[in-house]
Amino acid sequence: MSRCLINLRDKNNQNSGYIGPDYPGFGYSIPDNASGLVLLGGNLSIKNIITAYTKGLFPWHIDNGLVHWYSPKKRCVFLPEKLHIPRRITRTLKKTPIFVSINKHFDHVINCCAKPRTNQKSNQAWLTRPIIDAYIELNKNGWAHSVEIWKDDDVIGGLYGITIGRIFFAESMYSDKSNASKFAIYSLCKLTHIYDFPIIDCQVTSDHLKNMGAIEIPKNEFLTIVNRECSNMNKFSKWPKNLISLNKLLKL
């Protein structure tokens, strides 16, 4: 039995391409639109997701069984080389030992990210079971990575995303304690700077990200960087294996 393939058309009524159930189908020009939504349908296979990121798309949510793929006109990014740590964060780290790990508890981090935020109803959450399962599979295959923030013996916050070549495509973060998500971002910025990553993709802008130093760049500039850094579609595996003192990491 064949499945229906749904096309989005731009304002000139030209096909913008499609993603079939088993075919990436990313050989098209991505039209600009206000919402950033460019495609519906397809599946969340490893091949589809990785190919999507290399074309500037990401899966945001699923409605009525259809994956919604986005590519915003402006992209929110961190420039790791321009990381600035506020003095109050430095003072906090001197008083309170905080540690960082990579890929120790990916399942825990992504499931915590999926919990409803304050003033958000559970049915408004975009990070649903099919998306969670897809990224857990990406983690098992070396594409998706998590940053965990530790205080004493507890993980108090973190983030997760995908690395292709030398770009980290951040997906979501969470915080159970004050500043924990900031610690995760600062850790990731420092590590990616050490490994010469030019940007961390944060997809869409928020006040929280801007307050930590994120900026917006035009989509064409973002795609130029992605094409340069992700053309070989290499996995990145040089992450630290053990817990690291965040205070010491930020001094490197």
Side-chain angles (χ1 to χ4, degrees):
M1 181 181 293
S2 63
R3 299 184 187 179
C4 177
L5 305 181
I6 295 183
N7 287 12
L8 291 184
R9 297 177 181 270
D10 63 22
K11 61 184 178 182
N12 296 317
N13 202 35
Q14 298 295 316
N15 285 341
S16 61
Y18 63 85
I19 304 173
D22 300 302
Y23 173 65
F26 291 114
Y28 54 81
S29 61
I30 302 170
D32 287 328
N33 59 76
S35 70
L37 175 64
V38 294
L39 288 172
L40 295 170
N43 61 42
L44 292 173
S45 67
I46 290 176
K47 183 177 181 180
N48 271 18
I49 293 175
I50 297 303
T51 304
Y53 279 99
T54 64
K55 301 299 181 181
L57 291 86
F58 57 89
W60 198 338
H61 57 94
I62 300 174
D63 285 336
N64 297 319
L66 295 172
V67 183
H68 286 51
W69 303 84
Y70 284 77
S71 182
K73 293 178 68 174
K74 293 184 178 181
R75 206 72 171 218
C76 179
V77 301
F78 280 100
L79 306 178
E81 66 176 9
K82 295 187 177 181
L83 172 65
H84 172 70
I85 308 298
R87 289 183 179 179
R88 59 184 179 81
I89 295 294
T90 303
R91 289 195 297 267
T92 298
L93 293 174
K94 287 181 179 179
K95 297 177 182 178
T96 307
I98 299 293
F99 290 84
V100 185
S101 64
I102 306 295
N103 292 329
K104 296 296 185 185
H105 293 286
F106 185 92
D107 291 24
H108 173 78
V109 169
I110 193 170
N111 279 288
C112 285
C113 289
K115 294 178 181 178
R117 304 294 197 262
T118 303
N119 299 323
Q120 180 191 56
K121 297 179 181 179
S122 59
N123 61 3
Q124 293 176 324
W126 62 269
L127 192 47
T128 53
R129 195 72 247 168
I131 296 178
I132 292 172
D133 290 343
Y135 281 83
I136 288 175
E137 195 65 23
L138 284 160
N139 172 254
K140 291 178 180 177
N141 282 271
W143 291 107
H145 308 280
S146 59
V147 176
E148 300 94 21
I149 300 300
W150 297 75
K151 181 181 179 183
D152 299 323
D153 294 326
D154 298 319
V155 177
I156 61 170
L159 60 80
Y160 78 95
I162 287 177
T163 303
I164 306 173
R166 291 190 306 158
I167 294 182
F168 191 99
F169 299 88
E171 278 293 319
S172 188
M173 59 185 174
Y174 85 98
S175 180
D176 281 340
K177 300 292 183 181
S178 178
N179 292 321
S181 61
K182 293 180 181 179
F183 293 154
I185 285 288
Y186 293 142
S187 301
L188 181 61
C189 282
K190 188 63 179 182
L191 286 169
T192 51
H193 176 52
I194 291 171
Y195 296 124
D196 295 322
F197 283 43
I199 61 171
I200 297 169
D201 173 36
C202 298
Q203 300 174 351
V204 294
T205 305
S206 70
D207 290 339
H208 183 56
L209 293 173
K210 287 194 295 184
N211 289 338
M212 286 188 287
I215 63 171
E216 283 187 332
I217 61 175
K219 182 163 73 172
N220 60 350
E221 181 180 343
F222 173 76
L223 290 176
T224 297
I225 298 171
V226 170
N227 289 337
R228 183 184 72 229
E229 301 295 340
C230 301
S231 58
N232 293 328
M233 296 182 69
N234 292 328
K235 298 177 183 178
F236 186 83
S237 59
K238 296 181 180 179
W239 303 111
K241 304 299 182 184
N242 301 314
L243 266 69
I244 309 169
S245 163
L246 179 54
N247 192 33
K248 292 181 179 179
L249 173 63
L250 296 179
K251 291 179 179 178
L252 294 178

